[in-house]
Amino acid sequence: MTSGAAILSKSGYTLPVASAPIGAYVAAVRAGNLVYTSGQLPLVQGMIERPGKVGRDVSVTDASRAAETCTLNALAAIDALVGLDAVVRVVKVVGFVASADDFTGQPAVINGASKLLVNVFGDAGAHARSAVGVAELPLNAPVEVELVVEVA
């Protein structure tokens, strides 16, 4: 059986080291056969990748890449808790997009997360999803992603 890290690598991604939470919470929690991640920001070496509001400071393309980074950070949190090899399927993705006043392309931004999960997990990566526009996100992040996955 191929390891989760190997699957990521084969798909062209590198699993980062799980980031420490920036508040009074944990990065991921297991409840039965589900793992819920806290919202993950596009942190790279402790810094927000592409800060600002989408549609004003950040392009849809850059925000979609930031959503990929958020998703990799969420997978790192899952890996630290139960190991990626335990993931049976991705159940739900919730994406928050810090949006300029007239920006309505939130689904295109969160596609970065969705496409990564399908690339990595195949059919088991297909999931239910919400893409929500918000006024602000922590640390001026353009996007935040949380996952719910089923584990063995």
Side-chain angles (χ1 to χ4, degrees):
M1 178 156 236
T2 308
S3 75
I7 292 169
L8 277 170
S9 179
K10 182 179 177 188
S11 300
Y13 304 104
T14 302
L15 189 66
V17 174
S19 298
I22 60 172
Y25 60 91
V26 295
V29 172
R30 182 176 183 164
N33 66 337
L34 297 176
V35 172
Y36 297 80
T37 70
S38 293
Q40 299 292 315
L41 300 175
L43 290 168
V44 176
Q45 297 180 342
M47 301 294 292
I48 292 292
E49 185 179 58
R50 301 171 187 91
K53 290 193 179 192
V54 183
R56 184 183 72 202
D57 312 309
V58 181
S59 71
V60 170
T61 300
D62 285 344
S64 182
R65 287 188 194 121
E68 287 182 355
T69 301
C70 293
T71 304
L72 289 169
N73 288 337
L75 291 174
I78 293 165
D79 188 55
L81 183 67
V82 297
L84 280 185
D85 297 343
V87 175
V88 173
R89 75 164 293 115
V90 179
V91 176
K92 176 106 187 221
V93 172
V94 180
F96 302 97
V97 180
S99 302
D101 289 341
D102 60 349
F103 182 73
T104 60
Q106 293 83 6
V109 171
I110 304 305
N111 278 344
S114 295
K115 289 177 181 179
L116 181 148
L117 292 165
V118 170
N119 285 341
V120 171
F121 296 107
D123 290 341
H127 51 271
R129 186 180 91 175
S130 298
V132 182
V134 298
E136 301 290 339
L137 287 170
L139 306 177
N140 199 27
V143 63
E144 181 174 342
V145 171
E146 55 185 58
L147 303 179
V148 179
V149 299
E150 180 184 4
V151 295

